[in-house]
Amino acid sequence: MEQPSSPLDRELPSSFQGNSTHREFYEENRWQKLGRKLKEEPLIPLGCAITCWAFYGATTSIRSGNSYRAQQMFRLRLYGQAFTIAAMVAGSFYYNSDRILRKEYDALMQERRAQEKREAWIRELEARDAEETDWRQKMAKVTEKREEEARARRAREEEKEREGGPIAKAVKKLREGVQ
């Protein structure tokens, strides 16, 4: 049966592929990171397990009154802790270059996310600016139409004043008729 490959074993995605593949390849959640760390340095959890087992054994030996077994378990706990520390130091030397590359990658990904966020913000501002420009143009057209209607209304009122109202027309006819 074929084991699933870790994210580091896969080939690098093409720059022409979508972002989802790229993020799936590099970004990992906590459980994936824990699994990767356990695969990279399996001796550290082993040393921790030995230490815990020895501590539990010492505790049960003390409760049962077996001091010789308790002393052996405390020594085993000490050896387990020394083994864990030795595994950590050896692993840090062995995986140092990988950790440096991983930190560089994390910094680049953080910078890329910041750049994407900045670009998204700029797109949002441009969209808002375009909406505001459209709104101002529409408002200018509405204002212009209202002003045109107001001018037409004033022109009609001036025409009515020149012609006069119905009373003024009747008085005008009377004057013309008298003459």
Side-chain angles (χ1 to χ4, degrees):
M1 183 172 213
E2 188 176 307
Q3 290 183 341
S5 61
S6 72
L8 299 176
D9 294 338
R10 299 182 204 161
E11 67 180 51
L12 292 173
S14 168
S15 60
F16 297 104
Q17 291 177 341
N19 286 340
S20 63
T21 304
H22 181 72
R23 288 186 180 170
E24 174 190 320
F25 180 79
Y26 286 110
E27 294 181 4
E28 55 191 3
N29 63 26
R30 291 179 181 170
W31 294 109
Q32 291 171 336
K33 184 176 182 178
L34 178 66
R36 180 175 56 83
K37 293 286 187 178
L38 289 174
K39 287 177 187 175
E40 284 179 1
E41 299 183 43
L43 297 178
I44 293 174
L46 177 66
C48 290
I50 291 170
T51 303
C52 290
W53 176 71
F55 189 67
Y56 176 75
T59 305
T60 56
S61 297
I62 289 173
R63 284 189 181 172
S64 67
N66 189 349
S67 62
Y68 179 74
R69 174 117 170 108
Q71 188 64 27
Q72 284 181 332
M73 286 294 146
F74 279 126
R75 287 183 186 145
L76 183 61
R77 177 190 59 87
L78 181 69
Y79 298 143
Q81 286 176 327
F83 177 77
T84 304
I85 291 172
M88 289 171 62
V89 170
S92 79
F93 283 122
Y94 185 74
Y95 289 108
N96 190 29
S97 62
D98 289 344
R99 286 192 180 105
I100 291 171
L101 291 175
R102 185 70 180 185
K103 284 182 182 179
E104 288 175 4
Y105 169 75
D106 289 341
L108 287 173
M109 286 303 294
Q110 187 175 7
E111 185 179 321
R112 178 178 285 165
R113 278 189 230 116
Q115 180 67 25
E116 288 174 358
K117 188 176 181 181
R118 192 173 20 250
E119 289 173 359
W121 178 245
I122 289 172
R123 284 192 303 270
E124 176 70 22
L125 289 177
E126 289 172 349
R128 288 182 182 183
D129 187 44
E131 288 176 2
E132 186 176 341
T133 303
D134 289 344
W135 181 79
R136 287 183 185 207
Q137 288 174 350
K138 288 178 184 177
M139 290 306 294
K141 287 179 184 179
V142 167
T143 304
E144 184 179 320
K145 188 175 181 180
R146 286 182 182 167
E147 289 175 356
E148 187 177 307
E149 289 174 356
R151 282 193 298 266
R153 191 176 335 109
R154 278 192 298 257
R156 284 192 304 268
E157 289 173 0
E158 289 175 1
E159 183 66 31
K160 283 183 181 178
E161 283 180 13
R162 269 190 248 129
E163 291 178 1
I167 297 173
K169 285 183 185 178
V171 170
K172 222 183 221 184
K173 283 184 184 180
L174 284 174
R175 281 188 188 164
E176 288 175 3
V178 175
Q179 290 179 348

